[in-house]
């Protein structure tokens, strides 16, 4: 089925190439459609816009904030801190139960922090753990 010239113009006007590809893939798929091309376009665009707005509202963690959390973690749970760094560096993965405990520590450090912002700090802290910044800290805490 062909896309109407009006809808094609709307798609072409979008700046995000991945979004264009996603819309075109959905519109040209061989499956049976239960919505019009225009409805599919609007639904995908709406979902994209909402996700982009949600990402924009996320807290942008600064390096000094991540380092401050690292210091808090190191002081509160030195053995767990070393274990976190070890898991991240050796396996590039944190055991799920252990990761949940670190998230609980983040909420202890900043009560009432939004879950998405907690995930953002956790992710930035993992990046921090991979960096050279944490190497000296491991030496300070290791027996």
């Amino acid at each position: 089925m062909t896309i109407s010239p009006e809808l094609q113009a709307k798609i072409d006007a979008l700046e995000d190439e991945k979004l264009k590809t996603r819309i075109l893939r959905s519109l040209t798929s061989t499956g049976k459609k239960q919505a019009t091309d225009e409805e599919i376009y609007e639904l995908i665009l709406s979902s994209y816009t909402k996700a982009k707005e949600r990402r924009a509202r996320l807290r942008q963690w600064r390096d000094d904030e991540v380092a401050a959390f690292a210091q808090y973690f190191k002081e509160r749970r030195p053995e767990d801190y070393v274990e976190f760094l070890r898991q991240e560096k050796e396996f590039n993965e944190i055991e799920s139960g252990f990761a949940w405990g670190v998230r609980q520590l983040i909420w202890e450090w900043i009560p009432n922090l939004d879950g998405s912002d907690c995930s953002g700090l956790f992710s930035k802290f993992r990046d921090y753990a991979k960096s050279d910044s944490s190497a000296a800290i491991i030496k300070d805490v290791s027996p």
Side-chain angles (χ1 to χ4, degrees):
M1 184 166 149
T2 60
I3 300 169
S4 74
E6 296 84 12
L7 184 54
Q8 186 65 55
K10 286 181 179 180
I11 295 168
D12 291 343
L14 297 171
E15 294 180 13
D16 187 320
E17 292 299 322
K18 289 181 182 180
L19 176 61
K20 287 182 192 181
T21 301
R22 181 174 166 213
I23 291 170
L24 289 172
R25 190 177 336 112
S26 295
L27 295 176
T28 58
S29 69
T30 58
K32 181 180 177 185
K33 295 180 184 150
Q34 298 184 0
T36 67
D37 284 354
E38 189 71 33
E39 290 170 333
I40 293 169
Y41 167 82
E42 291 296 334
L43 177 65
I44 293 172
L45 186 60
S46 173
S47 296
Y48 170 84
T49 302
K50 286 178 185 174
K52 191 173 180 179
E53 289 169 353
R54 195 174 10 210
R55 283 191 304 273
R57 284 191 304 270
L58 288 177
R59 182 171 175 165
Q60 300 302 310
W61 293 98
R62 297 184 324 262
D63 292 344
D64 63 323
E65 292 173 315
V66 177
F69 172 70
Q71 185 62 35
Y72 179 80
F73 188 175
K74 178 183 165 188
E75 290 170 0
R76 297 284 299 189
R77 300 184 193 166
E79 296 83 13
D80 286 348
Y81 184 83
V82 171
E83 177 60 17
F84 185 94
L85 297 179
R86 186 191 70 76
Q87 286 185 24
E88 187 59 51
K89 288 185 181 221
E90 288 183 20
F91 308 115
N92 196 31
E93 186 175 346
I94 304 298
E95 185 272 326
S96 63
F98 188 59
W100 178 248
V102 174
R103 289 173 190 274
Q104 294 299 110
L105 187 63
I106 290 171
W107 278 310
E108 181 182 301
W109 187 54
I110 303 178
N112 302 317
L113 186 66
D114 177 83
S116 296
D117 288 332
C118 178
S119 293
L121 177 55
F122 183 82
S123 176
K124 291 284 263 185
F125 181 65
R126 287 188 66 194
D127 293 342
Y128 176 88
K130 291 176 208 170
S131 75
D132 291 333
S133 311
S134 62
I137 296 169
I138 291 175
K139 291 175 190 168
D140 290 346
V141 179
S142 296

